[in-house]
Amino acid sequence: MSELTLLSSGHFVAFMVLGFATGIYGTLIGAGGGFVLMPVLLLLYPERSPAHITAVSLAVVFFNALGGSETYAMMKRIDYKSGLMFAAATIPGAIIGALNTAYVPRYTFDIIFGVLLIAATAFLSLRSNIAERTRTVNTYRYQMSRHLVEANGVSHDYTFNPLLGIGVSFLVGYVSSFLGIGGGIIHVPVLTYLLNFPVHIATATSHFILAIMALTGTLTHIFAGTFGEAIDMTLSLSIGVLIGAPLGAHLSNKIQANWIIRCLAIALGLVGIRILVKVFWF
């Protein structure tokens, strides 16, 4: 029996709208959108395996990150040297994470994901001032320096610890691929708080890294045979994110992220509680 029936035209459009919203928000804060999309898919398809759902989410995250990265590239906000270095570190983690998902029962996966959403709620609530923080200059024993000039003429100079970035990127690749969430929700705060990246550069560079990481995880699922018959769902979601991602990148210049992040934190917390309630009481 097919694991997923073909979508009706109405459902196809509905998933396009979901993808559009995911693309806007995921690109706006550089998180890829998977942490928004995955809870929705988990609630919509309680009978699907974790590997199948994460495969769909990672494929959509790839197209989201690809669309957002194109726009950020035109803005000249991507730190390509750092992005390629950190992306290379995510690749082995992404492969291992994608393969490990197939061995986790849906019941256990839902518990892990529900707890993660509640933890993300607490983190985002405490760090909702990420866009307005005052950056401090840190001195590292091993460090690299970057000088970037955006298309609008804004100049950035910053120094960071590459070893810390590589280590964290490996873990981000694993966790992101295992849970199908993209990883930007972890990478952006790390780049900003721990590695001293300017927030706009961190958001854009995170999206560039996500494109490589999510493609790696998606290909791993395809070769492992866990993608299933989800082409229509993936196509509709991907069309939506490709339309929404450039809009999210442009909105990043105009919208203060604080209130958006606070609202997202509340929503993620409620969804996390809903998933856990469903696991333990139904």
Side-chain angles (χ1 to χ4, degrees), residues 25 29 124-125 127-131 256-266:
Y25 193 84
I29 64 172
L124 290 173
S125 298
R127 299 295 188 179
S128 61
N129 63 339
I130 184 172
Q256 292 294 327
N258 287 355
W259 69 272
I260 302 177
I261 293 177
R262 289 191 184 102
C263 291
L264 173 69
I266 295 173

Side-chain angles (χ1 to χ4, degrees), residues 264-282:
L264 173 69
I266 295 173
L268 290 181
L270 292 175
V271 173
I273 293 172
R274 174 70 179 86
I275 290 175
L276 292 178
V277 168
K278 186 175 182 180
V279 168
F280 292 109
W281 276 276
F282 294 95

Side-chain angles (χ1 to χ4, degrees), residues 22-274:
T22 299
I24 290 178
Y25 193 84
T27 306
L28 179 65
I29 64 172
F35 70 103
V36 176
L37 179 61
M38 270 297 294
V40 176
L41 294 180
L42 288 174
L43 292 175
L44 288 177
Y45 297 99
E47 76 283 3
R48 306 304 177 198
S49 68
H52 179 79
I53 295 179
T54 55
V56 172
S57 181
L58 281 177
V60 175
V61 167
F62 164 69
F63 286 108
N64 185 7
L66 186 65
S69 294
E70 181 182 3
T71 304
Y72 283 130
M74 291 187 291
M75 295 178 178
K76 296 185 178 180
R77 288 184 174 178
I78 300 175
D79 179 349
Y80 290 103
K81 290 181 180 179
S82 302
L84 287 171
M85 177 172 59
F86 296 152
T90 68
I91 290 175
I95 294 173
I96 297 172
L99 293 175
N100 284 355
T101 305
Y103 298 99
V104 179
R106 176 60 190 267
Y107 176 86
T108 304
F109 186 88
D110 283 357
I111 293 176
I112 294 173
F113 204 90
V115 171
L116 172 72
L117 289 181
I118 294 174
T121 297
F123 177 81
L124 290 173
S125 298
L126 293 173
R127 299 295 188 179
S128 61
N129 63 339
I130 184 172
E132 297 179 356
R133 76 180 189 90
T134 301
R135 295 194 303 121
T136 57
V137 178
N138 300 310
T139 301
Y140 306 106
R141 182 176 178 182
Y142 302 102
Q143 64 182 31
M144 289 184 175
S145 297
R146 294 284 188 261
H147 172 75
L148 263 70
V149 180
E150 297 184 39
N152 60 8
V154 177
S155 177
H156 301 281
D157 292 279
Y158 51 99
T159 301
F160 63 94
N161 183 341
L163 298 181
L164 176 61
I166 290 171
V168 171
S169 294
F170 173 82
L171 295 176
V172 168
Y174 177 82
V175 173
S176 302
S177 192
F178 178 76
L179 296 173
I181 60 173
I185 195 173
I186 305 171
H187 236 160
V188 172
V190 167
L191 291 174
T192 308
Y193 286 99
L194 298 184
L195 299 183
N196 208 42
F197 277 55
V199 66
H200 284 312
I201 304 302
T203 301
T205 304
S206 170
H207 241 62
F208 176 70
I209 296 169
L210 283 179
I212 298 174
M213 186 280 298
L215 178 61
T216 301
T218 300
L219 291 175
T220 301
H221 277 296
I222 292 174
F223 290 135
T226 55
F227 200 88
E229 297 180 8
I231 301 301
D232 52 347
M233 182 196 298
T234 304
L235 177 62
S236 59
L237 288 166
S238 299
I239 291 173
V241 299
L242 285 172
I243 298 172
L247 180 57
H250 285 297
L251 287 176
S252 67
N253 281 328
K254 304 176 181 179
I255 297 181
Q256 292 294 327
N258 287 355
W259 69 272
I260 302 177
I261 293 177
R262 289 191 184 102
C263 291
L264 173 69
I266 295 173
L268 290 181
L270 292 175
V271 173
I273 293 172
R274 174 70 179 86

